[in-house]
Amino acid sequence: DSGVTQTPKHLITATGQRVTLRCSPRSGDLSVYWYQQSLDQGLQFLIQYYNGEERAKGNILERFSAQQFPDLHSELNLSSLELGDSALYFCASSPADRQNTDTQYFGPGTRLTVL
Amino acid sequence: AQSVTQPDIHITVSDGASLELRCNYSYGATPYLFWYVQSPGQGLQLLLKYFSGDTLVQGIKGFEAEFKRSQSSFNLRKPSVHWSDAAEYFCAVGLIQGAQKLVFGQGTRLTINP
């Protein structure tokens, strides 16, 4: 158990819908990262937040957005869902934002299925 | 662009045999390297990491990895595998470009024959 929690574990929805994925980082960690794992793209970095502020963006679609709240939990919002958005979405956390010795600890993931 | 290559998509070894999983990276600066393992239906668990210093690093579950700068490699090894090691293994490079993010290889699926 990494200490990172994600809810829900599974999510099944229809095309065009909007969903919210939730992540609680390890106690004391200020950085939260979101990754998408799909069969065709593999594991890809989406976005990072540090203490409530966006720090870095990766291959995140405009239909996707995220935020980190004062209690440091984070939410990833996916809208206008398409079949290709079906994937496993991971959250990870680390203590800081630019420490190159930081290690990211991953949650169990949320499996999203778009029908 | 930075990239990580895991040449072997799928490897099968016998229970008790030795294992080596290959990882090559492309990154201009000093790499920060990681190996993660993903068991079926599970999240990613950190096996080991290399930041600097001794190029042979020890991890959990009896795994080790060796950083070879001249070959741009960070191969993962285990002297004797167990059936419980069956999983998918990911090599990753940590990029410090304004903020830390990980670039992952495509993964190697390990199957253990009894």
Side-chain angles (χ1 to χ4, degrees):
Chain A
D1 185 356
S2 66
V4 179
T5 60
Q6 290 186 249
T7 56
K9 286 187 178 180
H10 302 277
L11 200 48
I12 300 175
T13 188
T15 55
Q17 295 298 304
R18 172 189 170 95
V19 297
T20 298
L21 312 184
R22 182 188 169 101
C23 168
S24 293
R26 294 187 320 156
S27 177
D29 283 359
L30 299 178
S31 266
V32 169
Y33 310 77
W34 286 97
Y35 291 84
Q36 179 194 58
Q37 185 180 34
S38 62
L39 285 176
D40 54 346
Q41 298 292 325
L43 263 164
Q44 292 208 328
F45 169 76
L46 295 178
I47 197 165
Q48 179 204 0
Y49 276 81
Y50 172 75
N51 204 20
E53 294 186 1
E54 182 183 302
R55 272 288 192 243
K57 266 188 174 180
N59 299 321
I60 188 166
L61 300 171
E62 286 191 10
R63 300 183 285 109
F64 296 1
S65 65
Q67 54 184 328
Q68 186 179 27
F69 295 86
D71 67 352
L72 300 178
H73 90 270
S74 177
E75 292 181 354
L76 180 66
N77 301 294
L78 315 176
S79 62
S80 302
L81 285 168
E82 302 174 0
L83 296 178
D85 298 327
S86 296
L88 191 53
Y89 291 85
F90 285 111
C91 170
S93 74
S94 70
D97 65 340
R98 302 185 188 194
Q99 296 297 321
N100 53 26
T101 55
D102 258 6
T103 296
Q104 293 181 27
Y105 295 90
F106 283 76
T110 293
R111 181 166 296 281
L112 173 66
T113 302
V114 182
L115 301 175
Chain B
Q2 300 84 5
S3 65
V4 177
T5 302
Q6 294 179 245
D8 305 304
I9 296 175
H10 188 197
I11 281 184
T12 300
V13 299
S14 298
D15 190 74
S18 63
L19 171 71
E20 183 168 26
L21 302 183
R22 296 182 291 164
C23 172
N24 293 98
Y25 65 90
S26 171
Y27 186 44
T30 301
Y32 299 94
L33 298 160
F34 304 81
W35 275 98
Y36 284 87
V37 60
Q38 183 180 23
S39 299
Q42 302 296 314
L44 294 163
Q45 181 183 22
L46 178 70
L47 284 177
L48 47 77
K49 58 189 177 185
Y50 170 78
F51 293 143
S52 64
D54 193 347
T55 56
L56 184 64
V57 294
Q58 303 296 321
I60 62 170
K61 304 185 180 185
F63 285 93
E64 67 177 26
E66 186 171 13
F67 169 59
K68 293 185 177 181
R69 187 185 297 275
S70 62
Q71 298 177 18
S72 297
S73 69
F74 188 55
N75 293 348
L76 182 71
R77 301 194 294 248
K78 186 169 184 177
S80 175
V81 297
H82 184 260
W83 63 265
S84 60
D85 292 324
E88 186 133 21
Y89 291 79
F90 292 92
C91 180
V93 170
L95 307 183
I96 312 300
Q97 295 178 330
Q100 186 193 43
K101 69 174 185 178
L102 296 176
V103 173
F104 285 88
Q106 285 297 99
T108 297
R109 186 186 310 170
L110 175 64
T111 299
I112 308 293
N113 280 336

